[in-house]
Amino acid sequence: MQELGEKKSYISWPVIAMVGFVTIICFDDILYPLQNQGLSVVFTWIFMVFFFVIPYELSVAHLGSVFNGHQEGGLASWTRHSLNSDAAGYWTAWMYWAACLPYIVDVANSTIVSYSWLILGDGSLSSRMSSFWFGVWTFVIILVFILLENLLKKSLEVMATIDGWAMFGMTILFVVMTGWTLLNGGKIATQPFNLKAFIPDFSLSYFSTTGLLMFAVCGAELVAPYLKRMKEPNRDFRKAMYLIAFMTAFLTVFGTFSLSIFFDANNLPHDLKMNGSYYAFQLLGERMGMGNVLMYIFAIVQAIYMMAQLAVFLDSTSWVLAADTAERFMPKWMRKRNKNDRPIHSYVLTTGLTLFLLLLSGTLPDINAVFNWLLNLNGIVFPFKNCWLFLAFIAVRVKQDKFPSVFVFIKRRKLAIAMGSWCMLFSFICAVMSFLPQDLDFGTKAWNHQLFLNFLSVGVLFGAGAIMPIMSWFEKRKEESAQI
């Protein structure tokens, strides 16, 4: 029981929604697929919203409702209890944590880019900074945030709430102002702008880039460790998931339409993935006679938004790795917590493997190539992680008498299992196809180099998980020998 007079603080469902929204999608996420798929990405987004995003969000809500008492480990706890397997819980935790590392580096990269636009006022960072120093500053930002995570309390909730609404507001502003420019004589940059332009060609390139769309809309399960801090989690968590699904659909579909007004989707800038959002608000400001004002406002919002993302990912992923995964798989030093009750060595391991990724990225020719490779790497690792989520959902529906839920997504068991199986298969196919490098010509030296980097990085990130059980085994053998 709480001590007399102590008032427990809860997190409301709109705050949970904003924390989730910050981890899932931002304005940048609609630019990457536009560069890869052109106008046909609108078809892909609509397909994704109805056949993946909504089932994904509501599957998370269902699992969150089932395992309300086992939330500290999030997805790892869900798979551990649903499959009744400590090994499944451990490997889910490891793969989930490892999958977030490329994005943590990518977010730190984006933070540098946002500040460069604030300082320089343009996208010339790539010509002013070498990939080596870009990596150094990225590592410094990650290290600083790891230190701040252990010093400042409630900073994560405040940053995520304020900037989640700010980013959504900027997107609405962009969509509304795009409509205003069309009504006042503005012309559509993308031509032809007809029904045929929105139909995908379903080529190898198309399928190899779909994993990046899946990455763009995933991450809702990251808020699971915070469910225990909600007053009515079974009732309110699904409200947060519905809100995230709506905001994601609005941002992806209408945002893509608006971008095609300003950019020629058939002839996009080579650095669109790194600087596209800033170009977009710069063009919007010019059409409205405001100069660079909107671009600077967006750069400020983006800088804070990226810092909020970094805070959420560093905090929540560390809890996933060090929470209730089976002790026999994790050595004691990895489960050690500091005076603030934080898993300090999870942060140390995060630092080490992000440095490994930065060293690999240093073999690429310039900042733009580094940015694009790290971004595309997310299209591989995140869909693999999704397979565990849908496997847990299938398991709780197969044994739904053992796992009752206040919120039920799809009441018919067979239909729910079929939906979960589809989403798991779709995630696996997207992950495998995403190994093929993007933004490069097939078979070139650069293409082969990135293909090698993709296999090496994923192999190390996921394969390193086998080291922890071995270390734990030796640790226990040492303890047993000391007792004899």
Side-chain angles (χ1 to χ4, degrees):
M1 292 182 65
Q2 290 177 248
E3 293 181 10
L4 188 64
E6 182 184 353
K7 187 178 180 181
K8 185 176 180 180
S9 61
Y10 295 101
I11 301 179
S12 65
W13 69 265
V15 172
I16 289 290
M18 286 304 103
V19 171
F21 182 68
V22 162
T23 64
I24 294 171
I25 197 164
C26 65
F27 192 79
D28 283 347
D29 289 327
I30 58 177
L31 283 159
Y32 315 146
L34 179 65
Q35 186 173 38
N36 291 331
Q37 298 185 7
L39 276 183
S40 66
V41 77
V42 174
F43 169 87
T44 316
W45 277 129
I46 294 172
F47 173 84
M48 290 285 290
V49 166
F50 287 101
F51 293 96
F52 184 80
V53 175
I54 293 175
Y56 159 74
E57 302 284 355
L58 299 184
S59 296
V60 171
H62 185 110
L63 289 168
S65 180
V66 170
F67 298 110
N68 184 30
H70 306 282
Q71 294 302 337
E72 192 175 51
L75 179 57
S77 299
W78 298 347
T79 54
R80 180 187 177 192
H81 292 284
S82 63
L83 299 174
N84 192 28
S85 169
D86 290 343
Y90 168 74
W91 278 107
T92 302
W94 183 271
M95 290 182 67
Y96 190 30
W97 170 79
C100 291
L101 295 184
Y103 191 58
I104 287 172
V105 180
D106 186 55
V107 169
N109 285 343
S110 298
T111 304
I112 296 173
V113 173
S114 63
Y115 280 108
S116 76
W117 274 86
L118 282 171
I119 296 169
L120 302 173
D122 56 37
S124 63
L125 178 66
S126 186
S127 62
R128 293 171 180 263
M129 183 182 289
S130 67
S131 57
F132 170 80
W133 282 108
F134 190 57
V136 169
W137 283 111
T138 299
F139 184 70
V140 167
I141 286 175
I142 292 172
L143 195 58
V144 167
F145 265 79
I146 284 175
L147 295 174
L148 289 176
E149 289 275 301
N150 291 278
L151 295 176
L152 303 178
K153 294 183 177 180
K154 293 194 175 182
S155 57
L156 180 151
E157 298 153 38
V158 174
M159 287 177 68
T161 303
I162 294 174
D163 216 59
W165 285 114
M167 180 57 74
F168 190 59
M170 289 298 292
T171 305
I172 293 175
L173 173 67
F174 188 82
V175 172
V176 171
M177 290 299 98
T178 299
W180 180 87
T181 59
L182 287 176
L183 292 174
N184 286 271
K187 295 182 179 180
I188 300 174
T190 302
Q191 296 296 333
F193 195 82
N194 52 31
L195 181 61
K196 186 178 179 181
F198 291 91
I199 300 175
D201 61 3
F202 299 111
S203 63
L204 184 64
S205 175
Y206 175 84
F207 288 109
S208 69
T209 59
T210 303
L212 200 57
L213 277 79
M214 183 176 289
F215 150 71
V217 295
C218 289
E221 65 278 3
L222 269 171
V223 301
Y226 307 110
L227 261 72
K228 62 181 181 179
R229 296 167 61 185
M230 298 179 74
K231 191 172 184 179
E232 298 288 344
N234 288 333
R235 181 192 66 191
D236 291 342
F237 187 59
R238 64 178 181 267
K239 293 181 183 178
M241 294 299 103
Y242 279 124
L243 180 58
I244 291 173
F246 167 76
M247 294 171 75
T248 301
F250 180 91
L251 180 63
T252 54
V253 176
F254 290 99
T256 302
F257 273 116
S258 299
L259 285 171
S260 64
I261 305 299
F262 292 97
F263 294 102
D264 180 1
N266 304 309
N267 186 27
L268 294 166
H270 77 286
D271 61 344
L272 186 76
K273 290 182 179 179
M274 185 168 76
N275 294 314
S277 5
Y278 305 96
Y279 290 150
F281 278 94
Q282 197 173 45
L283 289 169
L284 178 62
E286 288 173 0
R287 287 203 186 183
M288 296 181 64
M290 298 176 65
N292 285 333
V293 172
L294 288 179
M295 182 274 289
Y296 280 114
I297 293 174
F298 175 77
I300 293 171
V301 172
Q302 179 82 332
I304 302 172
Y305 189 84
M306 288 301 162
M307 289 189 291
Q309 278 197 322
L310 199 55
V312 170
F313 270 87
L314 284 171
D315 183 68
S316 57
T317 54
S318 295
W319 284 112
V320 167
L321 189 62
D324 75 341
T325 51
E327 291 185 3
R328 66 187 177 92
F329 292 98
M330 197 72 70
K332 287 183 178 179
W333 68 269
M334 269 301 297
R335 292 180 274 120
K336 182 180 178 181
R337 303 193 182 189
N338 64 6
K339 62 181 181 180
N340 294 324
D341 197 38
R342 290 186 178 275
I344 186 63
H345 288 141
S346 291
Y347 291 113
V348 174
L349 196 58
T350 297
T351 305
L353 280 177
T354 52
L355 181 59
F356 162 75
L357 290 176
L358 288 169
L359 290 173
L360 285 185
S361 68
T363 65
L364 297 170
D366 54 41
I367 289 177
N368 191 53
V370 170
F371 191 95
N372 290 349
W373 174 68
L374 284 166
L375 176 65
N376 295 336
L377 187 59
N378 291 290
I380 305 172
V381 292
F382 265 81
F384 273 130
K385 175 269 303 177
N386 290 343
C387 293
W388 285 109
L389 186 146
F390 292 112
L391 185 61
F393 177 79
I394 293 169
V396 299
R397 297 313 304 268
V398 169
K399 300 177 285 186
Q400 62 185 27
D401 294 336
K402 182 181 177 181
F403 298 106
S405 175
V406 175
F407 170 72
V408 178
F409 173 47
I410 306 180
K411 292 185 178 180
R412 294 187 178 182
R413 180 188 302 194
K414 291 183 179 179
L415 185 59
I417 294 171
M419 186 284 304
S421 301
W422 147 254
C423 289
M424 186 171 71
L425 178 63
F426 183 48
S427 297
F428 182 79
I429 292 173
C430 285
V432 173
M433 293 296 295
S434 295
F435 273 100
L436 300 176
Q438 303 165 27
D439 313 306
L440 297 168
D441 294 329
F442 176 82
T444 61
K445 185 177 180 180
W447 190 91
N448 291 330
H449 178 60
Q450 286 203 16
L451 182 64
F452 170 74
L453 290 183
N454 287 343
F455 278 104
L456 177 62
S457 55
V458 174
V460 171
L461 289 175
F462 289 162
I467 297 173
M468 292 298 163
I470 295 173
M471 294 178 66
S472 179
W473 183 82
F474 276 110
E475 182 183 74
K476 289 178 180 177
R477 286 291 299 271
K478 186 177 179 180
E479 290 177 354
E480 290 173 358
S481 299
Q483 292 174 0
I484 296 175

